[in-house]
Amino acid sequence: GAGVSQSPSNKVTEKGKDVELRCDPISGHTALYWYRQRLGQGLEFLIYFQGNSAPDKSGLPSDRFSAERTGESVSTLTIQRTQQEDSAVYLCASSLALMNQPQHFGDGTRLSIL
Amino acid sequence: DQQVKQNSPSLSVQEGRISILNCDYTNSMFDYFLWYKKYPAEGPTFLISISSIKDKNEDGRFTVFLNKSAKHLSLHIVPSQPGDSAVYFCAASAQTEGNNRLAFGKGNQVVVIP
């Protein structure tokens, strides 16, 4: 498809387990972002990849969170030793790396920690 | 610290009338502003944006107004249609600082009554 694709769409796991979330950006978009949305809240920035530059990790809430991106394509967000407060919708977005270009979002992964 | 604020969490409007959504921000370095629309279980969909060099941008039924001195922007939808019923998020970034990450408000629920 032409849009941002995320998988899985839903993930339920037990506290303490590790989870890996995947994002396929729009082809040609060199910028990729991860956000999360907790219940009743706005979106919170997590991490930003742009080409070969070092990622901006300033939004990651703890060292249990990490993300990687292979070239200018797929990205994975990993949460280790999950906690109940990690329950949220995790959203990926991509954009062209130009001024005044909107970010386009996938449908997210709904993560529930039991 | 909430840098983008959307008050009046919900709005009901009759079909055909105008919907007006408001957004305030605190960071004077923000120079690019966007509105997104979100349906349940879907990712945010980009609607319209405005850069800080403009004070108005129009696209069909949607118009965004920016008042930099007041750090305020608004989204006008006219005429409102039942399909406009969704949550609307205001977002902003400080591109000239090399920071493309978006700061989001908590959203406004809009219900258009047929």
Side-chain angles (χ1 to χ4, degrees):
Chain A
V4 176
S5 178
Q6 292 188 246
S7 61
S9 54
N10 287 282
K11 177 74 176 177
V12 180
T13 193
E14 292 179 346
K15 176 181 170 181
K17 300 286 189 184
D18 297 351
V19 295
E20 188 173 279
L21 313 179
R22 178 188 167 105
C23 173
D24 284 273
I26 293 171
S27 178
H29 282 190
T30 57
L32 186 147
Y33 311 78
W34 284 97
Y35 296 85
R36 74 175 175 183
Q37 184 182 19
R38 291 190 274 193
L39 194 63
Q41 303 297 312
L43 280 71
E44 302 171 65
F45 167 78
L46 296 177
I47 188 168
Y48 161 49
F49 295 91
Q50 170 49 44
N52 294 322
S53 302
D56 175 358
K57 302 180 182 180
S58 59
L60 295 179
S62 79
D63 58 8
R64 296 186 294 104
F65 287 71
S66 62
E68 293 184 352
R69 186 179 187 192
T70 307
E72 293 183 350
S73 59
V74 171
S75 175
T76 55
L77 176 70
T78 302
I79 309 173
Q80 296 177 309
R81 305 181 302 281
T82 51
Q83 304 293 313
Q84 286 187 331
E85 64 262 26
D86 300 335
S87 295
V89 178
Y90 288 81
L91 290 152
C92 176
S94 70
S95 74
L96 294 171
L98 299 168
M99 296 285 282
N100 302 336
Q101 291 297 315
Q103 296 175 26
H104 298 275
F105 284 82
D107 286 339
T109 294
R110 181 174 297 276
L111 178 63
S112 300
I113 309 300
L114 302 178
Chain B
D1 180 29
Q2 193 78 15
Q3 295 188 78
V4 177
K5 298 178 183 177
Q6 294 177 254
N7 296 321
S8 307
S10 64
L11 170 72
S12 291
V13 63
Q14 289 282 1
E15 180 178 4
R17 304 296 291 269
I18 185 170
S19 296
I20 299 176
L21 301 173
N22 293 300
C23 178
D24 296 289
Y25 61 95
T26 57
N27 187 343
S28 59
M29 299 306 296
F30 286 153
D31 56 10
Y32 184 52
F33 305 88
L34 309 90
W35 285 94
Y36 285 86
K37 172 181 177 180
K38 187 179 184 302
Y39 294 121
E42 294 185 10
T45 301
F46 168 69
L47 267 181
I48 191 168
S49 64
I50 189 168
S51 79
S52 59
I53 62 172
K54 295 185 174 182
D55 55 19
K56 177 182 175 181
N57 189 26
E58 189 172 353
D59 184 1
R61 297 185 299 114
F62 302 93
T63 303
V64 56
F65 296 92
L66 175 62
N67 182 334
K68 287 187 293 293
S69 61
K71 295 192 180 67
H72 177 84
L73 64 156
S74 61
L75 174 68
H76 292 207
I77 307 172
V78 57
S80 300
Q81 299 174 352
D84 297 332
S85 296
V87 176
Y88 290 77
F89 290 97
C90 174
S93 67
Q95 295 182 111
T96 51
E97 283 201 322
N99 190 340
N100 291 338
R101 64 184 190 181
L102 293 174
F104 282 84
K106 291 186 178 181
N108 291 127
Q109 174 73 59
V110 172
V111 176
V112 179
I113 303 163

